[in-house]
C-alpha cells in the first residue's frame, strides 16, 4: 500500500504521518519524487481502511494498494522514468549510452588504447574488469587494485566515466572514484552486497542472474532502492536455457517488461549473452529497436590474445563500424547519444 | 561431402557421376542452383579421396567436406539465399513479408473483416487456423474443412495468399489451394509429416519447437529439402525457459544464426513467443532490426471474444498502427514490402 | 463438475440423467468404475446448482467441482488406481513391470537373442523399435513392417508381450497384434494420434515430451481417455534443461506427483533420460524407491554396434545384474514382479 | 597434469620436485593422501614430456594428464572417497547422515524442541538458519547472531553437531563453534566466499546453484580444496527448469555423476528441491537408493506458522515417520547411521 502526498507538504507533517502508520505495526519508507512524496507501507496491509486514511489525513492526495512484492522500483509508485546521472552522462529519458571496453584490464597500454579508440568511435562510458569472477580458481582473476588504478588513468586520459564490477562489500572503499559499480550476474542475489551498495551513494549497474526471473531482478533492485540508493541501471545479459548454439539466450522481452513494471533504465549486454562476436551487431540493433536505454559491448584491442572472453569481443575496428551503424539507429528511435 | 559441378554439365553426365558414387555405397542427392548443380553424399565419407575424385572427373569444379549433419539446408552447399515465392510474394533477398490474421478462423464475417483490414494496413499474407492443436481435448479445435473454405473465400476477396497449419499428413489433399502450409511448433519433429510435405510442391512455414535447438530445426528442414521441396521458411516463435513473465522466451539470436548456417528465409512470431499483446510491438521492431525476413502477427477483430489466444492478439487498429511503424523500419533496413 | 452415481443404477437411468445434463448445453462422458459410475461434465459449469442436482436426482450419490482441466485422468473422479492389463501382465496396484529390449529391432537373430536373455533375467515385456523417429533424415529409421514382424516372432518364441512405438495414426492397422502401443516423447502432443489411439482398444504407453509439464502430460492422457481408452501408462523419461552432463534431466518428482493427481500407472525410462549406460542402475533404483510401477530399460546384445542409442544401452549381462538387484528392491517395496 | 609420488618420499624431496616444476612456469599444489602424495600442475602442460619427468625423477611413481578443469576434487587424483568428519559424525564411506531442523531459528523454545525431537527420531545433525538469504528485502531475514547463539544452545542440549548458512566472508569469525558451514545455492559462485572458507578449517556444505551445471559445482568445490580445505560435502537441491509443479527439479543423476567424477561425499535436500511437503518422502527414498551419503530435511515444530518455507517443512511426527522408513532403507543399502 502506498500513500501519495499532496505537493508541498512540510517535512514534519510527513514524519508525523509516517510515525502514525508505524505505530500501527508497519514498516514504511519514503520515495521522494520531483513533485510528490510517496509513503510506502511494508507488511500485510489488508486490514487498513485505505479510504479512511485518505479522508482523515488532509496531506494525502490518494492511496493505492500495490500487489507486486516490489514497491520502490514499481512504476505505480514512481510513474516517471528514473534518470541515472553519471558524471555528465544520463541513462533514461531519451538518452542512449554505450559502455565499451575489455572484459578485463590487462595493462596500461591496453586500457588506454581501448579507451581512446572507443571514445573516438562514440562510446560514452568505459568498462574494464579489475576483479573478475571466474568459474575456475586457476583462471586469470584480473589485476585487482592495479586494475582499478589503470582504469582511473584511462578515465583521466579520455574523460570517459568508468564502470567496473565489485565482488563483495569489503571492496567498497576501493570504488570511491569509480563512476558506476557493476553487480555481476552471479551476485544478483548476493543480498548483503546489494544492501551495501544501497547505502553507498553511487550509480549501480545490476545484471540479471543467469537463472533469475525478471521479478527476482526487480526484487534485487528493491534491495538497493529500499536501502536508500535509487541510482540503479538494470541490465539484461542472457539467461540459461537448453540451447547450446549460444552461451546464453538473450531475452529481449525483458526490455519492454522491465520498463512497464519499473521506472529504472534498462540496458543490454549482447556480448555476454551470445558469447559469439558475430552475433553482437544484430543483437545490439535489436536491443536498440526494442527500447533499450543503452548497450554494454565487449571491445578489445587484440581479441585473439584477450585474457578472458576473447571469442565474444569486438576488435576496435569492428566496434567503430558497429557505432557508426548504431548512431543512425539511435537517431531513428528519436534518442540522443552525446559524445564527450 | 559435396561436389560442386561445373556450369552447363549435361544431365546424363551428372547421372553417371551420381551412379558411380552410389556404387561406392553412398546415398546422394542433387541440389540444383541457378548456375551450379551440387551432388551431396550421405554417409561416412572419411575414406573418400576428395582430391582424386576432383582430378578424375572433369565435370567436377571442386569438392568439400561438410561437417554439419545438415547438408541440403547448409549455406556451404548453397551459398546464395533461397527465395521462397508464394503467389506473387517473395520471402528472402531484401523483401519483407508480414503475415497477419486470427489464431483461428471463426466465421465468414470474422475472417473477411480481418483480411480486408490487415490488407489495408499493409499485411502481405493472411493467416488463420482451421485445424488447431490444443492442449485440452475440450478446447475449441477450429472449424476444420469449413475453416479452410472460409480462408480461401477471404483469399478470393482480398487477393492475399493464405497460410494455415496442417496437423497430419492425411490432411494434405485438403491443402491444394492453400499457399503456405504451416508446420506448428509441436509438429516440428513429426518426421512423417515433414517427409510428406517434402514431397508436396508447396511452400512450408516450419516453426521451431518449444524445446528444440536451432540445429534440430535445421535437421527438420533437412527432412523437407531432402525429400525434394526446397521452399521452406523457418520461424522462430519462442522457447521454453524458467521465466514465467512471458509464455515463452523469444530467442532473437536465432535470426542471425540461422541465416549464417543456412540459406533459408527466417521469420519471427512475436505473438506466440510473448503471449502478451503489449510486447508484440517492441519484439516485432527488434526482429526487423535483427534481420528477419518477415513477421507473423496474430490479429483479431475482437480479441476479447477470440476463441483462442485473445490475450496475445492485436486488434485491427493496433495492427494498423504497428504496420505504420514497421513500414518505416523496413525501409530503414533497406528492405522492401510490396503491397497488393 | 462430476456426479458420482449410486451403485447399481440401471443403464437407462444413467442415460436419462446424461441426456438431461446435455440438454442444458454441456458435453458429458462416463467413467465407469468397479462400483460407481461417474458422469463428467465438460464446459463452464459455474451456473449449475450442484446441491439442487443431487437433491432432485435420487440416482446421484454426490457431486463435486473439479478445478483441474483434466477430468477423466483425475484421481478425484476415479480414486482407485487404474490397472492396465497387458496379456497376463498388470501395471499398477502393487505390481512392478520391467520392459527391456533394444532401441531398434535390427535382425531376427538380434531380437530373439535379446528377448530370450532379458526374459531369463526377469524382464516381463519386450521393447524394440520398428519405426524410429530420428533427428536426422539420414539416420537409420528402423525396419518398419519387417521390424514389427520380427518383434512378433520374438513374442511367439518367448511369450513376452511386446511394446513398440507408433509414428502416426495411418500405421494403426499394423499394430493389431502389438500388446502396448508406445507414443514417443516427440508425439506427446500429436493430438490426432492421441485421439486415434483413444479409439483403438489397446494399452498405450505415453511418454512425457522433452519440454512438457506434468499437467500437459495429463492433458495428453485425457485425450486418450476421453476418446474411450482408459488403458494408459504414463512414462517419465527426462526433460530438457541447461545441464549437459546428461542427455536429459530425469524428473523423479513426476512419479509421486502423477500418482497424486491421477489414477494411471507411472513408469520410468532411465536409459533415455540419462543417455549414459553407467547411470541406468542408480536411476532405476531411485525410480523403484520413489514409487514407480515399472521401468523401461534399453538392452542390446552388442551395444557397441547398436544402430542407435548404443551409449545408453546395457548389454545382456549388465541387464541381468541389474535385474538381480532390482528384484530385491521390488520385494523390499512390497511389490510383486511375476515372471513368465 | 599430476605426478603421483612413491610412498614414503621425504618432505624435502617433494619440495625440491615441486620447485623444479614451478621453475618451468607452472603453479603446483599438493594433495596428500593416506599413502601417496600427488603433485598437481596448473596451466597449459602440453609441452611437458610426461615420460621424461617420470624417468628422470625416481620419487615419481607415475604421471597422468588430467583433462577435466577440476583437479583437487577429481577422482583421478584422489581415487578413494574423502571422509568428512564432523564432531563424531562421518560423511562418506558407508555412513549415512540426516541433517534435520527448521528453515530458520525462530526462538529458543522452537529450536530446542525441534532439536530434541529430531534427535530422538534419529537425525544426526541439526540445521537452522540464522542468516537467511531472501528474495525480498522485506521478508524475515533470520535472528542473525542470536540465531547462532540459540543454535549452539540446542547443540549443547542435544549433542547434535550443527549446520548453518553463511552469507559472506565477513561473518566467518562468528562461525568458530559451528560444525558445518553451509554455502547456499545463490552463493555457489561467490568466489571470494569460497576462497575464504577454503582457508578456514571447518567442514563446508556446498549447495548446487539453481542454474549451475555439475561441472560448475565441482569447480566451486575446487576453489575450496585448492585453498587448503578438503572437508567439502556436495549437496544437490534441485535446478530451475520450465516445470512449475515443483519449485525446482531435483536432479538425482547428480549423485552418481558427482561420485564418479569426484571423491567428495554427496547429499540431497529434497525439501528445497520440491518445495512441497508431500514429495519429501518419495524423493528422500529415491536419494537413498541412488547412492546419496545423506539427506537434509526441513523439519519444524509448527510448519503452518513457520517464518519461512513452511509449505515444504515436515512436522515432528512426519519426520519421525520418515526416519523410521529411512532406517530400513539405509540398512538395505548396507550403510550405517549411528545415533547419538
Amino acid at each position: 500500500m502506498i500513500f501519495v502526498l499532496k505537493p508541498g507538504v512540510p517535512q514534519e507533517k510527513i514524519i508525523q504521518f509516517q510515525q502514525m502508520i508505524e505505530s500501527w505495526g508497519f514498516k514504511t519508507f519514503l520515495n521522494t519524487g520531483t513533485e510528490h512524496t510517496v509513503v510506502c507501507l511494508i507488511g500485510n496491509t489488508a486490514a487498513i481502511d485505505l479510504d479512511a486514511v485518505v479522508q482523515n489525513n488532509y496531506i494525502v492526495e490518494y492511496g493505492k494498494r500495490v500487489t507486486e512484492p516490489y514497491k520502490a522500483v514499481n512504476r505505480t509508485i514512481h510513474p516517471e522514468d528514473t534518470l541515472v546521472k553519471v558524471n555528465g552522462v544520463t541513462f533514461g529519458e531519451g538518452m542512449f549510452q554505450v559502455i565499451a571496453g575489455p572484459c578485463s584490464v590487462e595493462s596500461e597500454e591496453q586500457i588506454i588504447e581501448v579507451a581512446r579508440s572507443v571514445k573516438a568511435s562514440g562510446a560514452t562510458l568505459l568498462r574494464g574488469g579489475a576483479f573478475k569472477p571466474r568459474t575456475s580458481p586457476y583462471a586469470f582473476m584480473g589485476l585487482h587494485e592495479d586494475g582499478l588504478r589503470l582504469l582511473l588513468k584511462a578515465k583521466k586520459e579520455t574523460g570517459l566515466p568508468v564502470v567496473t564490477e565489485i565482488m563483495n562489500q569489503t571492496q567498497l572503499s576501493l570504488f570511491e572514484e569509480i563512476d558506476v559499480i557493476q553487480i555481476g550476474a552471479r551476485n544478483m542475489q548476493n543480498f548483503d552486497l546489494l544492501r551495501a551498495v544501497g547505502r553507498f551513494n553511487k550509480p549501480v549497474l545490476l545484471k540479471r542472474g543467469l537463472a533469475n526471473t525478471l521479478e527476482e531482478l526487480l526484487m534485487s533492485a528493491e534491495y538497493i532502492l529500499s536501502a536508500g540508493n535509487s541510482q540503479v541501471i538494470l541490465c539484461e545479459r542472457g539467461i540459461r536455457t537448453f540451447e547450446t548454439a549460444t552461451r546464453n539466450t538473450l531475452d529481449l522481452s525483458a526490455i519492454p517488461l522491465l520498463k512497464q513494471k519499473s521506472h529504472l533504465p534498462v540496458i543490454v549486454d549482447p556480448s555476454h549473452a551470445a558469447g559469439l562476436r558475430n552475433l553482437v551487431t544484430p543483437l545490439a540493433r535489436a536491443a536498440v529497436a526494442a527500447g533499450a536505454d543503452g548497450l554494454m559491448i565487449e571491445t578489445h584491442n587484440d581479441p585473439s590474445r584477450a585474457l578472458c572472453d576473447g571469442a565474444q569481443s569486438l576488435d576496435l575496428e569492428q566496434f567503430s563500424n558497429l557505432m557508426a551503424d548504431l548512431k543512425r539507429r539511435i537517431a531513428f528511435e528519436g534518442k540522443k547519444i552525446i559524445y564527450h
Side-chain angles (χ1 to χ4, degrees), chain A residues 76-98:
Chain A
T76 308
I77 288 176
H78 188 301
E80 65 272 31
D81 281 8
T82 281
L83 304 185
V84 178
K85 299 196 178 188
V86 181
N87 220 341
V89 157
T90 302
F91 286 82
E93 201 196 34
M95 301 302 297
F96 197 93
Q97 306 303 339
V98 179

Side-chain angles (χ1 to χ4, degrees), chain A residues 5 119 131 137-138 155 186 193 199 224 247 302 321 324:
Chain A
L5 306 187
K119 183 185 177 184
F131 300 94
Y138 310 125
K155 174 184 174 180
R186 289 180 187 82
L193 176 56
R199 291 186 298 255
I224 304 172
R247 192 157 65 171
D302 188 359
N321 293 338

